[in-house]
Amino acid sequence: MIRIFLVLLLIITAWFAVNRLLKTPTPLIAKYAKVFFLSITGAVLVYLAATGRLNWFFAFMGVIVAFIVRFMPILLRHAPQIYKLWLGFIAAKQAGSHNTAGRQNNLGTKGSLSVEEAYEVLGLKKGASEQEIINAHRKLMQKMHPDRGGSDYLAAKINLAKKILLRK
């Protein structure tokens, strides 16, 4: 009999929780979900520590530390490239945060890239011919096109550089 009341109480509580959740704004739901997840994770870790069943966690952490130590030289060797990618990502993210509802970012304006910078983006010397500009653009776009694993930001810069140099 008590089990029936507990199940009924659980169902009623879940119904009220779902109704309240549907009325809550999305950012607040994300915050509550984070707090809930961290609370559950903490409670599980405390339970496992109290019952002495945390051996697998320490073994897993040992594997992670060994993995990091083993691949640290590779990460450090590529750190400058990773840092440049990170800065490009942050710049693209900040440029995207200033946009509204799907508008293109400010790369489409001619004033955002000087002629010297355009030559530098395409890897050309000042005074390059039209055909050299087109060839450099084609070569870079084959490497940096978003469909081939490149970034939208770099592809837009390359296209803008070509546009500036061919209009000047």
Side-chain angles (χ1 to χ4, degrees), residues 74-95:
I74 295 170
L75 290 174
L76 290 176
R77 183 173 52 229
H78 296 292
Q81 292 90 349
I82 294 170
Y83 183 69
K84 286 179 186 175
L85 287 173
W86 178 253
L87 289 179
F89 170 75
I90 295 298
K93 189 174 179 181
Q94 287 175 348

Side-chain angles (χ1 to χ4, degrees), residues 27-38:
L28 198 56
I29 291 174
K31 180 182 173 186
Y32 287 155
K34 238 184 252 184
V35 169
F36 177 75
F37 176 73
L38 290 175

Side-chain angles (χ1 to χ4, degrees), residues 78-147:
H78 296 292
Q81 292 90 349
I82 294 170
Y83 183 69
K84 286 179 186 175
L85 287 173
W86 178 253
L87 289 179
F89 170 75
I90 295 298
K93 189 174 179 181
Q94 287 175 348
S97 69
H98 297 300
N99 296 337
T100 57
R103 287 191 312 187
Q104 290 292 336
N105 59 13
N106 208 11
L107 292 174
T109 62
K110 187 173 180 179
S112 65
L113 195 65
S114 70
V115 174
E116 291 79 18
E117 290 172 330
Y119 278 117
E120 189 177 326
V121 166
L122 293 178
L124 297 171
K125 293 181 181 178
K126 194 169 185 174
S129 69
E130 183 175 322
Q131 190 59 41
E132 289 174 329
I133 293 169
I134 292 171
N135 289 341
H137 174 266
R138 183 177 294 126
K139 184 178 176 183
L140 282 171
M141 284 306 287
Q142 286 174 349
K143 293 179 184 176
M144 298 297 174
H145 196 276
D147 292 344

